[in-house]
Amino acid sequence: MNSSGSGKTFDIVRERTRVRALFEGHDIADSDDVVVVRESGHPPVRYFPRKDVFMVFLRQTDTVTRHPDKGEAHHFTIYRDQHIVDDVAWSYAAPSAAFADIAGRIAFRHDDVDFQIDGHPADDAEPED
């Protein structure tokens, strides 16, 4: 378990098997090299290597957010089958040293993307505080 400067605890692990990210039933990422960030009070966030993300469906937006521990994130909008969801994904190009494992990887919002782990739906219910 690690701790960030803000006092929150976090853990960074690698998924042990293949993970797929699906948007309305269509693959948008598929990898056996997924890094998971687990932060207290939040569902796990899976970061896919850019090479395993179907970038043809994503466009970088002008949205840039700043996380006090991770740094600056650039966001992406998804365009798939005439559906558009703004800022559905993000990436930290140069995160802080504690989060170096997520550098250049892409994560997706849980509300818009479904995850499958080894062919089964991910059980990512909101944790209880």
Side-chain angles (χ1 to χ4, degrees):
M1 191 67 75
N2 297 305
S3 180
S4 67
S6 64
K8 291 183 180 178
T9 57
F10 67 92
D11 204 12
I12 299 175
V13 298
R14 292 199 183 264
E15 285 283 5
R16 296 179 185 197
T17 188
R18 179 177 169 220
V19 180
R20 293 170 60 205
L22 297 105
F23 175 71
E24 297 191 352
H26 300 284
D27 283 321
I28 54 171
D30 187 342
S31 181
D32 61 1
D33 180 24
V34 174
V35 173
V36 183
V37 176
R38 300 179 197 282
E39 294 183 81
S40 58
H42 299 282
V45 177
R46 292 176 178 86
Y47 287 85
F48 290 79
R50 195 173 291 244
K51 69 178 182 61
D52 294 336
V53 175
F54 301 106
M55 296 300 294
V56 67
F57 302 119
L58 298 178
R59 299 285 182 277
Q60 189 166 332
T61 68
D62 292 334
T63 303
V64 177
T65 56
R66 181 142 184 79
H67 187 279
D69 298 319
K70 296 180 192 102
E72 195 172 86
H74 294 268
H75 292 254
F76 298 83
T77 290
I78 190 167
Y79 296 86
R80 174 91 199 212
D81 296 337
Q82 299 180 4
H83 291 95
I84 299 171
V85 180
D86 291 324
D87 299 328
V88 71
W90 63 94
S91 180
Y92 293 94
S96 66
F99 289 91
D101 288 342
I102 66 170
R105 292 173 175 264
I106 296 182
F108 299 92
R109 265 194 332 237
H110 281 264
D111 293 346
D112 298 297
V113 173
D114 296 315
F115 297 95
Q116 287 186 352
I117 300 173
D118 203 22
H120 303 286
D123 182 17
D124 291 338
E126 290 276 340
E128 308 246 344
D129 285 328

